[in-house]
Amino acid sequence: MRTKMRAAVALAAAAVSCATFSPTAQASTAAPAAVMGGCGTFTPCGEATNLTPWGMYITTNLGTGTSGYCDVWNKNGGSTPSSWHAKCDQRYLAPGAHYGGGNIDVDAFTFNDRGYYMTFSTRTWHAAGVWTKITDLQEAKCDDRNGVPECWIG
């Protein structure tokens, strides 16, 4: 009887040990959501707010998209010009809409049918279809200024 009892205790201890430390048990825990740029729960994600009467376009996969390209004027974000012809998937953002933040990272934006002003430290004009990259810590806001889109970091 004692031998059976010792075997049962040893088997139970082994089962608890395997459940606690086995790779299978660790892999079954939920992984955090993967997003571009490493943003998420503790780090903000890029956002875009379209306060204009025109549709704008955003991308959440700048550099890794599969359906098209984005011609970016500021590859590293910010006001320093550095051109980049990057793979991306373009997504329409309707007038009055907001996208990004939380676990969704907007990487860049444009207006495909009209030029727009962008203000970082200085105000610059960008032709239709030229993309502005934003960082995880930024929210691009665009509104209508005398019939022309004007964007800034909010």
Side-chain angles (χ1 to χ4, degrees):
M1 179 73 167
R2 287 185 188 187
T3 305
K4 287 183 181 179
M5 182 65 93
R6 283 186 194 143
V9 169
L11 184 58
V16 169
S17 175
C18 288
T20 304
F21 301 108
S22 76
T24 304
Q26 291 174 359
S28 66
T29 60
V35 291
M36 289 292 294
C39 64
T41 305
F42 299 109
T43 306
C45 288
E47 302 177 58
T49 301
N50 183 5
L51 302 172
T52 76
W54 311 285
M56 68 189 275
Y57 288 82
I58 59 169
T59 186
T60 58
N61 59 359
L62 189 63
T64 62
T66 59
S67 67
Y69 288 89
C70 294
D71 289 319
V72 177
W73 69 270
N74 62 336
K75 179 179 180 175
N76 297 318
S79 60
T80 304
S82 178
S83 297
W84 182 24
H85 182 68
K87 291 181 178 181
C88 72
D89 297 324
Q90 298 184 18
R91 175 186 205 126
Y92 181 78
L93 187 63
H98 170 270
Y99 196 76
N103 285 328
I104 299 171
D105 184 24
V106 173
D107 296 324
F109 71 91
T110 193
F111 289 86
N112 280 338
D113 63 348
R114 65 191 67 245
Y116 64 98
Y117 285 103
M118 178 65 211
T119 301
F120 280 102
S121 55
T122 60
R123 183 177 186 236
T124 56
W125 175 256
H126 300 288
V130 174
W131 289 75
T132 296
K133 183 182 183 318
I134 60 172
T135 68
D136 293 347
L137 301 175
Q138 295 174 327
E139 178 183 2
K141 293 182 178 182
C142 301
D143 69 6
D144 177 4
R145 301 278 172 98
N146 299 316
V148 177
E150 179 128 5
C151 305
W152 68 95
I153 299 302

